[in-house]
Amino acid sequence: MIDRKDILTLDYYKKERFTGSCQGMRYLIERAKEGDLEQFVVYTWPGPYAFSATKEEKKVKTFPFIKESLDQIVEYLNQVYNDGVGIWNGIL
């Protein structure tokens, strides 16, 4: 399971994107700006390949770019993991 401390702080995302994994599920979290709108974009996909080598298998979800969204992102990532546990472990 992914813990809140695993996905860093809001200030980190102002400058960088973050990639991580959880038992076969890979994820990327980044800030996207479009005009005045800022949001987190969260991608998930099955390993073992990197983000750039994976195309159609990615799921995408957005969240407002605020500190409170980080808790929601952790919940979302854990839900995605639980919903696809067979995929992440290579069973399906």
Side-chain angles (χ1 to χ4, degrees):
M1 298 303 285
I2 299 165
D3 291 324
R4 172 62 187 86
K5 66 178 173 44
D6 295 331
I7 64 164
L8 308 174
T9 65
L10 184 68
D11 287 335
Y12 177 88
Y13 295 100
K14 291 178 181 177
K15 297 182 180 183
E16 299 290 333
R17 63 188 200 170
F18 178 76
T19 59
S21 65
C22 178
Q23 300 179 18
M25 179 186 80
R26 300 205 179 230
Y27 57 91
L28 182 143
I29 305 166
E30 65 182 356
R31 176 179 73 157
K33 282 183 75 169
E34 190 172 314
D36 290 337
L37 178 65
E38 286 187 284
Q39 54 188 348
F40 283 106
V41 181
V42 180
Y43 301 88
T44 56
W45 69 96
Y49 301 110
F51 182 80
S52 61
T54 306
K55 302 286 184 230
E56 294 79 23
E57 300 168 12
K58 292 178 194 156
K59 284 182 74 172
V60 180
K61 181 150 175 95
T62 60
F63 297 86
F65 191 75
I66 57 175
K67 182 180 177 183
E68 293 77 16
S69 291
L70 294 169
D71 290 327
Q72 295 172 1
I73 291 170
V74 170
E75 288 178 33
Y76 169 73
L77 290 171
N78 286 320
Q79 185 64 50
V80 170
Y81 176 78
N82 288 330
D83 290 348
V85 73
I87 295 168
W88 316 129
N89 293 325
I91 297 170
L92 301 175

